[in-house]
Amino acid sequence: ALRKVQRAVCHGGGGPNNDHLSHVRLMLITFLFAGIQVAWAMQIANASPLFIQLGVSRSVTGNIWTVGPLSGLVVQPLVGVWSDSCRSRLGRRRPFLIAGALIACVAMLLLAYCEPLGRLLGDTATERPVAIAFALIAFCAMDFSLNTVQGPCRALLIDVAPRSQQQVGNAWFAFMQGGGNVTGYLLGALPLASWLSFLFESNAEALFTIAVIIVVASLVATVLGAKERRL
């Protein structure tokens, strides 16, 4: 009995945490992190040009970016505490991953299509208050929702993988982070609006829509790939 307890302590706990995970499973568990990095890359590359195009001054646009650090400072610690005590049938982390990722997808679509939505609601070529309001709301929602996902995304690996595989899991996280960033910035360099002119009016519409597809696909992979214990 003592040896069983010692094994449980050494390998990160009982139940599913004792199961050795394949590289495919570790890839699926960390895949959402790649999707989140694609979303961050899209925001970093496209939000400022979009605000300036809508008529927001460069100084105000610069101030808007303070939302990111402030949201991270507030959201990640709170979500960490809430997810630690979560008793959902989906587990502790997956409810926050699902909610945060889906809100981020809605925010990206609102940011992408704020200009045509503004035109529908009375904006003109020179005055775009509705589009600016939509863009600002979407930008803030995107920051808060992506920060909601990041903490539980890392905690999920700690919860699910045995201690002996934490280093390998962290390597997968680093790979997903780099791969997501590279993918996001490479997509931003492509003239997608020209190639897909029958679908999109601007590159921002194309990029954020593709980012939504990537985030949803990575969310499904992670939610299905991770088997959390119900506490």
Side-chain angles (χ1 to χ4, degrees):
L2 178 59
R3 288 182 180 177
K4 289 181 180 179
V5 172
Q6 288 173 336
R7 282 196 208 102
V9 172
C10 291
H11 292 285
N17 277 0
N18 275 336
D19 296 336
H20 182 85
L21 303 179
S22 67
H23 281 287
V24 172
R25 180 60 63 83
L26 289 170
M27 178 188 70
L28 292 175
I29 292 170
T30 57
F31 197 39
L32 179 56
F33 204 62
I36 295 305
Q37 298 310 309
V38 170
W40 280 124
M42 295 298 183
Q43 187 196 54
I44 291 169
N46 295 283
S48 290
L50 179 61
F51 277 115
I52 292 170
Q53 178 183 324
L54 293 175
V56 180
S57 68
R58 292 182 181 273
S59 60
V60 172
T61 298
N63 291 332
I64 291 172
W65 281 98
T66 60
V67 173
L70 290 174
S71 64
L73 184 66
V74 174
V75 172
Q76 291 202 31
L78 288 177
V79 170
V81 172
W82 291 337
S83 66
D84 283 343
S85 59
C86 180
R87 296 296 182 267
S88 167
R89 63 184 180 85
L90 292 175
R92 294 193 294 173
R93 316 301 179 185
R94 285 185 291 183
F96 293 90
L97 299 182
I98 294 169
L102 293 181
I103 292 172
C105 289
V106 174
M108 284 190 286
L109 290 175
L110 182 59
L111 191 59
Y113 293 95
C114 64
E115 194 168 0
L117 286 173
R119 289 198 300 266
L120 287 175
L121 296 175
D123 280 358
T124 65
T126 56
E127 298 291 332
R128 299 167 179 166
V130 177
I132 291 171
F134 281 150
L136 184 58
I137 292 169
F139 183 91
C140 295
M142 194 173 170
D143 273 344
F144 277 88
S145 57
L146 291 178
N147 275 304
T148 297
V149 173
Q150 287 200 148
C153 208
R154 287 189 176 276
L156 181 65
L157 174 68
I158 297 171
D159 291 349
V160 173
R163 185 173 299 181
S164 60
Q165 289 188 283
Q166 291 295 322
Q167 287 186 338
V168 178
N170 284 328
W172 272 108
F173 255 115
F175 177 80
M176 292 298 175
Q177 182 175 13
N181 281 323
V182 169
T183 300
Y185 289 119
L186 281 178
L187 286 172
L190 300 176
L192 296 176
S194 298
W195 295 350
L196 302 172
S197 58
F198 57 96
L199 290 175
F200 306 110
E201 292 183 8
S202 66
N203 231 35
E205 291 181 11
L207 289 170
F208 282 113
T209 303
I210 291 172
V212 166
I213 295 170
I214 293 173
V215 170
V216 170
S218 63
L219 172 65
V220 171
T222 294
V223 168
L224 296 181
K227 295 182 179 178
E228 287 190 85
R229 287 181 297 174
R230 186 176 179 182
L231 300 180

